Amino acid sequence: MKETIEKLLSEVAAFTPSTKEELEAFRIDFLANKGKIKALFADFKNVPNEQKKDVGQLINTLKEKAQSKVDDFKAKLSSSVETSEESIDLTRTATPSKIGSRHPISIVRNEIINIFSRIGFTVSEGPEVEDDWHNFTALNFPPEHPARDMQDTFFVESEEGEMALRTHTSSVQVRIMENQKPPIRTLSPGRVYRNEAISARAHCFFHQVEGLYIAENVSFADLKQTLMYFAKEMFGEKTQIRLRPSYFPFTEPSAEMDVSCSVCDSKGCNVCKYTGFLEIMGCGMVDPNVLENCGIDSKKYTGFAFGMGVERIAMLKYKVNDLRLYSEGDVRFLDQFKSAF
Ligand code: PHE
């Protein structure tokens, strides 16, 4: 029996498998329930008593050697499979990670700012929670003035009393006029709030870019020329503008500006409601009362102001037909603007 065991020991020592299958066959042959080592243990009872100690030790050694052979090669073969060249395909395309995109409102706001910055307009910002003076009174809306109803205002309580969520960024222009001396040429982009029922055409918050130019001898012709330049830059060289008389408490005279419909080339379509023109902003010459309220000499200086909704411009530019899409954060909508900036 000793010789058999010794033969098996050298067999184990010499065994060097190159595949997992060979190793498994070896394990079954030696270590499984019906394997050679189990058989030796079964035979052990026939070993003469005086040899039992030696033979017992030998069988145990054989078992240990066979087991450690299996363990060693198991580790080696599995790690070598993972790092072997065939198992890693370096030419495979990587799973692309999703990149974000700029929001269409940001894209259009930046474009408006770019267009006006080329003719010398700076950018000013102010608070969204505003006091009555900056949102209304300084802008020629005296208390109880019916024009306040034009702007369905949200009010909030604060330590300083009742405050408004600004209904337009004209409030920022008041702050600028109070703090700077003319000439002033600035844009005030930002979010504004109005208490309106949410629908495809209206929202309780939206974004504006308003502009203000104050210097000596600024005329309505300057306003018209500036807005014509903007319309052509924004909607294309062929764009025409139309100014219609309107009313705002803070400008006199006031107008609303339309641009020719780029969807139908002014021929008439459902976007321009068959008029050939689309309204995009309010504008006018700053009312002398407003200049005086802000400490600017209205005998020496004149100015113009204009204000537009960014959502409206973006709707026309990208043919979006529902305002709510801008604030829902649906990536299927947002993904479409990936290449737009
Ligand atoms: N503040 C006006 C609005 O929110 C827009 C406007 C700005 C009109 C400047 C005239 C001059 O509707």
Side-chain angles (χ1 to χ4, degrees), residues 151 167-168 170 194 208 210 248 250-251 282-284 305-307:
Q151 324 232 335
T167 58
H168 51 185
S170 304
R194 291 190 196 173
Q208 281 190 327
E210 294 210 357
F248 298 102
F250 35 89
T251 46
C283 59
F306 56 85

Side-chain angles (χ1 to χ4, degrees), residues 139 141 150-151 167-171 173 192 194 206 208-211 247-248 250-251 254-256 281-286 304-308:
L139 289 161
F141 291 86
M150 280 163 61
Q151 324 232 335
T167 58
H168 51 185
T169 57
S170 304
S171 56
Q173 304 183 345
V192 301
R194 291 190 196 173
F206 57 97
Q208 281 190 327
V209 177
E210 294 210 357
Y247 172 76
F248 298 102
F250 35 89
T251 46
S254 304
E256 245 148 341
M281 68 169 101
C283 59
M285 301 305 292
V286 181
F304 64 70
F306 56 85
M308 66 191 106

Side-chain angles (χ1 to χ4, degrees), residues 223-234:
L223 169 63
K224 193 174 168 189
Q225 189 61 39
T226 304
L227 296 184
M228 188 142 78
Y229 156 78
F230 167 73
K232 286 181 188 292
E233 291 289 309
M234 191 76 201

Side-chain angles (χ1 to χ4, degrees), residues 230-283:
F230 167 73
K232 286 181 188 292
E233 291 289 309
M234 191 76 201
F235 297 106
E237 194 48 43
K238 286 196 312 203
T239 309
Q240 291 184 317
I241 64 165
R242 190 167 79 172
L243 291 164
R244 281 179 292 105
S246 185
Y247 172 76
F248 298 102
F250 35 89
T251 46
E252 183 59 37
S254 304
E256 245 148 341
M257 184 176 103
D258 301 339
V259 289
S260 50
C261 180
S262 54
V263 177
C264 63
D265 261 340
S266 287
K267 289 191 183 75
C269 66
N270 59 358
V271 177
C272 61
K273 302 205 185 74
Y274 300 94
T275 62
F277 279 87
L278 297 156
E279 181 194 319
I280 63 159
M281 68 169 101
C283 59

